[in-house]
Amino acid sequence: MIDRETVLHVAMLARLELSEDEVERMTTELAGVLEHIETIAELDLEGVAPTTHVVAVENALRADEPTPCLSREQALASAPAVAEGGFAVPSPQA
Amino acid sequence: MTEPLELTASQAAGAIARGELDPGELFELYRARAAADQLGAFTWVAEAPPAASGGPLGGVPLAVKDLFCTEGVPSQAGSRVLEGYCPPYSATVVERLAAAGAPLLGKTNQDEFAMGSSTENSAFGPVQNPWDHRRVPGGSSGGSAAAVAAGLAPWAIGTDTGGSIRQPAALCGIVGLKPTYGAVSRYGMIAFASSLDQAGPLTRDVSDAALLLGHMVGARDPRDSTSLDFPGEIALPSRTDLRGLRLGVPAELSGEGIDPGVRGAFQSTLELARQLGASVEPCTLRHATAGLAAYYVLAPAECSSNLARFDGVRYGYRAPDAPDLLSMYMRTRHDGFGAEVKRRVMLGTYALSSGYYDAYYGRAQRVRTKIAEDFATAFEHFDFIVTPTAPGVAFELGAKLADPLAMYLNDFCTVPASLAGVPAISIPNALAEPLGGGTRLPVGLQIVGPAFSESRLLDAAFALEQALGFDGSAVRQ
């Protein structure tokens, strides 16, 4: 069952901050959707293999040859903050 | 000559090839219409036509769903978290179509990261259905569908994960096709659920869909390890009857839960198919009704994993003034994602979390196998499976926003083909009254075929289209 504590735990796993209001709503909405989803618990799936890929494909390999890629400037161009030629982020332990 | 706006994309390409129509003028005509868009269909419109296009498509401009990366052009997937993002590269399919002579006209609005069935979950605001501005165009490719239906673009591409091309095509009275999984490269498509996402055409008619799709498929893309060589070429449709074709009608997807108006239209079309020479018999997709439940485990699970990349580090939005790294991640995602995306990230993270994986994800993947087997068995006896595309006509803006499950039920008929990875097309087959009465609105017919049967699927759809004589030209004025 989905309770407030579960919502907060899952939100932390998802690195998603939720407002008080959102925690409230998520608790009822997720419970409603999960109730529908749990209908699959009633099916007999004994011995059925899970789908890994819908079209039969073996290994998808390409030749291991160096090709041009994005330049450092291109890779950094969209970053919110840049320092010393890399992505700048706040300190983990501020 | 006919007014350029009245020409289908194929007709326009033909007129250009014969020297009767100038591609620069055609581009400008549509550019001006797209720039004056009042429906909210476009998120970005080109300022000028590209330098001479050439190619077999002759320069007929193309509207592209926002989630396709377009080099130097805003590509936000309808999300605030990608605010201002202009990718340094273009999606393979956008490159292929531009090279074939379909230059970028504009980017179209969508549900955020393609999560939704109404195009109301967009950072850019909702899109209006051109048939009735108080109603939704469907989703998630609602901007592409509305643009084509309203004549703001000759044709468009979108993506379909559980119905996101077919359902908006149905609700806007146009043609939409979801190809076989792997037929079109996903490189440069901002990912929602990678095992289900496929790009496809949204067009005024079946011939346009065939022409556009023919240039989307081809050789396997080395940049997408799930893409496949398309066997043969997409033939332009020419069939005028359905003689010898066996159509299967699954009770699971054509009875309960379908509005009476849609059901009536479906039955009339089945009768027409019989008159065209097809045999129409009941078939069984025993696990199809479990498709929606399995889909709403698998798609959110994949989405929660795919959307982990939006963390405020490399592109897009970053929450200001976070004191440390963890709160920067968490606040960025809080501010950047809309309600539906948060809901699915939470659902997917929950389904994949320790202790729940087997009960949810594991079981859903087994249901998926059963659904694929159901289709394989059905295709031993039938050439195609036909169902309504959506359970109802376009609903009013806001009508289903407060009830996620009611919104998800829109995908009831389209999700099974997505789970099985098989191709499916929606063509407009009638106008029907909404529940409770009112102006009649478009209804779609879905035709599903085995993997890589696109050419035959288009041919059958073409024969039906000619016999139906559906006219959507009124909304293009």
Side-chain angles (χ1 to χ4, degrees):
Chain A
M1 203 48 229
I2 293 272
D3 54 17
R4 184 190 158 76
E5 204 179 317
T6 313
V7 166
L8 290 172
H9 169 67
V10 173
M12 177 52 92
L13 291 176
R15 298 291 183 264
L16 179 63
E17 187 176 289
L18 296 177
S19 68
E20 204 37 56
D21 206 38
E22 285 172 320
V23 173
E24 197 84 6
R25 248 183 303 143
M26 209 64 88
T27 312
T28 33
E29 286 172 355
L30 290 187
V33 175
L34 283 170
E35 196 184 309
H36 177 73
I37 285 173
E38 272 152 20
T39 55
I40 60 171
E42 295 155 19
L43 298 172
D44 179 14
L45 299 169
E46 196 59 39
V48 178
T51 295
T52 49
H53 195 71
V54 286
V55 185
V57 201
E58 292 209 4
N59 293 335
L61 302 174
R62 60 162 173 78
D64 186 18
E65 287 159 359
T67 51
C69 64
L70 294 183
S71 67
R72 179 179 293 258
E73 289 69 31
Q74 284 173 312
L76 293 173
S78 303
V82 170
E84 298 170 29
F87 299 109
V89 294
S91 163
Q93 313 99 343
Chain B
M1 197 190 101
T2 323
E3 287 299 310
L5 196 67
E6 291 170 24
L7 300 172
T8 65
S10 314
Q11 289 167 343
I16 291 168
R18 291 189 301 272
E20 296 163 10
L21 180 61
D22 177 65
E25 278 173 35
L26 183 71
F27 192 97
E28 184 47 38
L29 179 71
Y30 277 107
R31 200 204 64 77
R33 283 179 69 83
D37 162 34
Q38 297 291 309
L39 301 170
F42 282 89
T43 59
W44 178 90
V45 176
E47 277 175 14
S53 287
L57 302 179
V60 179
L62 178 74
V64 171
K65 189 176 184 179
D66 194 30
L67 62 66
F68 289 94
C69 284
T70 42
E71 187 179 345
V73 167
S75 308
Q76 284 184 229
S79 182
R80 192 186 170 207
V81 86
L82 277 173
E83 206 167 71
Y85 178 57
C86 293
Y89 64 93
S90 288
T92 297
V93 63
V94 171
E95 271 179 357
R96 278 193 188 173
L97 289 174
L104 179 65
L105 171 68
K107 300 296 287 286
T108 56
N109 207 349
Q110 60 166 92
D111 283 300
E112 184 178 8
F113 292 114
M115 298 175 202
S117 309
S118 68
T119 316
E120 293 170 290
N121 307 318
S122 168
F124 297 99
V127 179
Q128 297 169 4
N129 190 312
W131 291 79
D132 179 345
H133 293 192
R134 294 162 306 163
R135 290 175 185 270
V136 303
S140 67
S141 308
S144 286
V148 171
L152 308 178
W155 50 12
I157 56 172
T159 58
D160 189 312
T161 306
S164 280
I165 288 174
R166 290 162 283 163
Q167 184 256 14
L171 269 47
C172 288
I174 62 166
V175 173
L177 185 146
K178 180 201 88 76
T180 307
Y181 182 80
V184 179
S185 167
R186 292 185 296 110
Y187 180 77
M189 261 167 58
I190 297 170
F192 159 20
S194 305
S195 81
L196 297 155
D197 296 344
Q198 261 301 282
L202 293 110
T203 57
R204 280 186 205 171
D205 67 13
V206 176
S207 299
D208 281 2
L211 183 62
L212 197 56
L213 182 65
H215 294 279
M216 298 174 76
V217 302
R220 173 178 173 264
D221 181 2
R223 296 179 294 185
D224 171 8
S225 61
T226 61
S227 76
L228 298 162
D229 285 321
F230 196 84
E233 296 198 346
I234 301 284
L236 290 183
S238 58
R239 199 174 172 130
T240 52
D241 63 60
L242 298 176
R243 270 201 289 272
L245 285 186
R246 299 157 302 168
L247 304 183
V249 182
E252 296 86 352
L253 301 179
S254 56
E256 199 185 334
I258 311 290
D259 287 356
V262 173
R263 231 185 296 176
F266 181 63
Q267 293 304 332
S268 308
T269 305
L270 294 182
E271 188 45 48
L272 181 66
R274 281 194 192 95
Q275 287 166 17
L276 291 170
S279 72
V280 180
E281 302 291 338
C283 75
T284 306
L285 296 175
R286 205 156 66 81
H287 299 84
T289 46
L292 201 69
Y295 176 85
Y296 276 98
V297 174
L298 299 174
E302 294 186 27
C303 119
S304 71
S305 171
N306 270 324
L307 268 55
R309 65 176 61 110
F310 301 107
D311 56 7
V313 174
R314 287 155 299 165
Y315 30 62
Y317 172 81
R318 172 185 291 189
D321 307 323
D324 58 61
L325 187 59
L326 182 62
S327 39
M328 190 280 279
Y329 291 154
M330 295 190 67
R331 289 186 201 172
T332 294
R333 292 161 66 79
H334 169 271
D335 299 354
F337 292 154
E340 180 60 22
V341 169
K342 286 177 184 166
R343 202 176 283 136
R344 296 208 199 178
V345 165
M346 289 289 292
L347 193 58
T349 306
Y350 177 76
L352 291 174
S353 65
S354 174
Y356 296 100
Y357 181 91
D358 288 334
Y360 290 111
Y361 194 78
R363 282 194 79 80
Q365 286 287 54
R366 288 180 167 81
V367 174
R368 189 173 186 181
T369 301
K370 295 307 285 180
I371 290 173
E373 287 174 4
D374 285 352
F375 273 106
T377 306
F379 288 135
E380 287 172 12
H381 306 283
F382 297 98
D383 295 288
F384 302 112
I385 289 162
V386 289
T387 75
T389 305
V393 295
F395 44 92
E396 285 176 8
L397 285 154
K400 299 189 180 183
L401 270 183
D403 184 353
L405 202 56
M407 187 71 92
Y408 297 169
L409 283 168
N410 267 285
D411 305 334
F412 181 69
C413 299
T414 47
V415 150
S418 296
L419 291 171
V422 294
I425 189 170
S426 177
I427 62 167
N429 64 325
L431 297 177
E433 274 188 17
L435 271 186
T439 312
R440 298 193 310 150
L441 294 161
V443 177
L445 171 80
Q446 177 178 238
I447 316 173
V448 186
F452 298 113
S453 67
E454 277 85 345
S455 284
R456 289 191 292 120
L457 194 60
L458 286 155
D459 230 8
F462 179 79
L464 267 175
E465 175 187 59
Q466 303 308 304
L468 284 160
F470 181 88
D471 181 13
S473 62
V475 292
R476 295 202 290 272
Q477 301 316 302

